[in-house]
Amino acid sequence: MTTTQSNVRVNSVDITKHASTDDALCLENQVCFSLYSAANAMVRAYRPLLDKLDLTYPQYLVMLVLWEEQGINVKTLGDKLFLDSGTLTPLLKRLEAKGLVTRGRSEQDERVRVLALTPAGFTLKTLASEVPHLMRCKVGGEASELKALKAICDQTLKQLQASADAPTASDI
Amino acid sequence: MTTTQSNVRVNSVDITKHASTDDALCLENQVCFSLYSAANAMVRAYRPLLDKLDLTYPQYLVMLVLWEEQGINVKTLGDKLFLDSGTLTPLLKRLEAKGLVTRGRSEQDERVRVLALTPAGFTLKTLASEVPHLMRCKVGGEASELKALKAICDQTLKQLQASADAPTASDI
DNA sequence: TTAATTTTGGTTGTGCGCAATTCAATTGTG
DNA sequence: CACAATTGAATTGCGCACAACCAAAATTAA
């Protein structure tokens, strides 16, 4: 079932179960708005926790990656976080200015920035260790619900990336 | 079940099913990161559709509200969209500059801005009417899944707003 | 009625997010 | 080797998000 061409089936569903224009343009019916608002609220909720680490949420994400694996470059980091160099370069400079990260150069390829933690950056992991639990309390809900949320978000991201590469008829 | 003090139960779950610090700080395990990435991808996917209307996604959200109901003020709009005046004021000025929206003043209360559509703003609704369907195709997935996604996002937003008002022990 | 408080919106400053562009380093090809 | 194409990162410019702060108007209290 789920292996058939999804878009075609979706189209047919939208045609058979056709909602009026007013219904479709109604804010209350918009999944994307719920996703957008929940994501904003999530970043907002992280703020007081991350203020104690002097990190923003995107900076925290970069630190999560570097606590797992050092010596990676900006491209790899961007692939993991789904962010590009226009976002990461200034962010990494800020982390460097705070003394948490070093931005070296690869010897094999002079273009490549090699990212690593300073001792202070590594130490910050201890302070960060309580953040997930505190955030978990704020979010609430059943573990199974959150697992389902993660699964649908991951699936949606994947699908959106796929439809970004193979665009609409107007491009042909 | 769902009416009991949620945080307490969540705490106990976190204690009994305790994950290691490394597991908790692992990017792969972070629901919030999935939510954040999916929301970013969603805004990105809207962009080519909304470019045809010369709107950004937040601007589109404001237009959705105004297509439903005119004559509202900035506060009410912000309550509906979960955005504050720092975000909305410049955004509304841009919509005004595009000739889509008027920012009048209430006669009863000189502070309140009364937002309304220009004829061009109202007409844009016709052009926007195909956006939901096109976006629905990009997102893919079963209708039931998206309904579930919306429900969990709405619930999460509500919970995060609640825990923002009644903060942690460190504030006492 | 004055004084204190609340409400509404605006301003400023910081940090993303991303499209578009640029640039230098590397790789591929004849 | 020359030279075109590719790649990794940086830069520029715009539009959010939001905290912090401010001013004016309205409401309430004294």
Side-chain angles (χ1 to χ4, degrees):
Chain A
M1 290 301 154
T2 55
T3 60
T4 56
Q5 242 297 335
S6 175
N7 278 2
V8 173
R9 185 185 43 66
V10 165
N11 282 342
S12 70
V13 167
D14 271 2
I15 290 163
T16 52
K17 295 190 180 178
H18 189 55
S20 82
T21 292
D22 274 13
D23 282 353
L25 287 177
C26 173
L27 192 64
E28 289 295 313
N29 299 337
Q30 304 249 348
V31 194
C32 292
F33 172 60
S34 295
L35 185 66
Y36 170 81
S37 301
N40 282 344
M42 181 274 293
V43 172
R44 230 176 287 148
Y46 260 108
R47 198 181 306 270
L49 307 181
L50 295 180
D51 276 349
K52 287 158 186 147
L53 315 187
D54 190 27
L55 292 176
T56 65
Y57 183 66
Q59 289 169 7
Y60 173 68
L61 290 179
V62 168
M63 294 303 287
L64 286 182
V65 173
L66 293 179
W67 286 325
E68 276 184 53
E69 177 189 2
Q70 295 194 48
I72 66 172
N73 58 30
V74 177
K75 180 70 164 54
T76 310
L77 181 63
D79 288 344
K80 283 176 189 283
L81 297 180
F82 310 104
L83 296 171
D84 70 0
S85 68
T87 301
L88 290 175
T89 296
L91 189 157
L92 288 165
K93 285 183 178 177
R94 267 169 232 125
L95 289 180
E96 188 182 39
K98 292 182 200 187
L100 300 174
V101 163
T102 60
R103 299 164 62 241
R105 293 272 191 199
S106 164
E107 295 188 354
Q108 290 79 23
D109 190 335
E110 280 295 321
R111 294 169 302 181
V112 174
R113 286 282 188 185
V114 176
L115 305 172
L117 294 171
T118 64
F122 182 74
T123 304
L124 196 64
K125 186 177 183 178
T126 314
L127 205 50
S129 64
E130 63 175 354
V131 170
H133 174 256
L134 291 172
M135 195 59 196
R136 179 68 186 82
C137 294
K138 284 202 184 198
V139 171
E142 299 285 346
S144 61
E145 275 185 352
L146 295 183
K147 206 174 155 186
L149 175 60
K150 180 174 181 335
I152 308 181
C153 285
D154 288 343
Q155 150 87 42
T156 302
L157 169 61
K158 204 172 159 187
Q159 173 65 31
L160 287 176
Q161 287 181 323
S163 42
D165 296 333
T168 63
S170 60
D171 297 306
I172 308 174
Chain B
M1 290 305 154
T2 56
T3 59
T4 55
Q5 243 298 335
S6 174
N7 278 2
V8 173
R9 186 184 42 66
V10 165
N11 282 342
S12 70
V13 168
D14 271 4
I15 289 163
T16 53
K17 294 189 182 180
H18 189 55
S20 82
T21 294
D22 273 14
D23 281 355
L25 287 177
C26 173
L27 193 65
E28 289 296 313
N29 299 337
Q30 302 249 348
V31 194
C32 292
F33 172 61
S34 295
L35 184 66
Y36 170 82
S37 301
N40 283 346
M42 180 273 294
V43 172
R44 230 176 288 148
Y46 260 108
R47 197 181 309 267
L49 307 181
L50 295 180
D51 277 350
K52 287 158 185 146
L53 316 187
D54 189 29
L55 291 177
T56 65
Y57 182 66
Q59 289 168 9
Y60 173 68
L61 290 179
V62 168
M63 294 304 288
L64 287 183
V65 173
L66 293 180
W67 286 326
E68 276 185 54
E69 178 190 0
Q70 295 194 49
I72 67 172
N73 58 29
V74 177
K75 180 69 164 57
T76 310
L77 181 63
D79 288 344
K80 282 177 188 285
L81 297 180
F82 309 105
L83 295 171
D84 70 358
S85 69
T87 301
L88 289 176
T89 296
L91 189 156
L92 288 166
K93 285 183 179 177
R94 267 169 233 127
L95 290 180
E96 188 182 40
K98 292 182 201 186
L100 300 175
V101 163
T102 59
R103 299 163 63 241
R105 293 275 190 196
S106 164
E107 293 186 357
Q108 290 78 23
D109 188 335
E110 280 295 322
R111 296 169 302 179
V112 321
R113 286 280 190 186
V114 176
L115 305 172
L117 294 172
T118 64
F122 182 74
T123 304
L124 196 64
K125 186 176 184 178
T126 316
L127 205 50
S129 64
E130 62 176 355
V131 170
H133 174 255
L134 291 173
M135 194 59 197
R136 179 66 186 83
C137 294
K138 285 203 182 198
V139 171
E142 300 284 347
S144 61
E145 276 185 352
L146 296 182
K147 206 173 155 188
L149 176 59
K150 181 175 180 336
I152 308 181
C153 285
D154 289 343
Q155 146 93 44
T156 302
L157 170 61
K158 203 171 160 188
Q159 173 65 32
L160 286 176
Q161 287 181 323
S163 40
D165 297 333
T168 64
S170 60
D171 297 305
I172 308 172

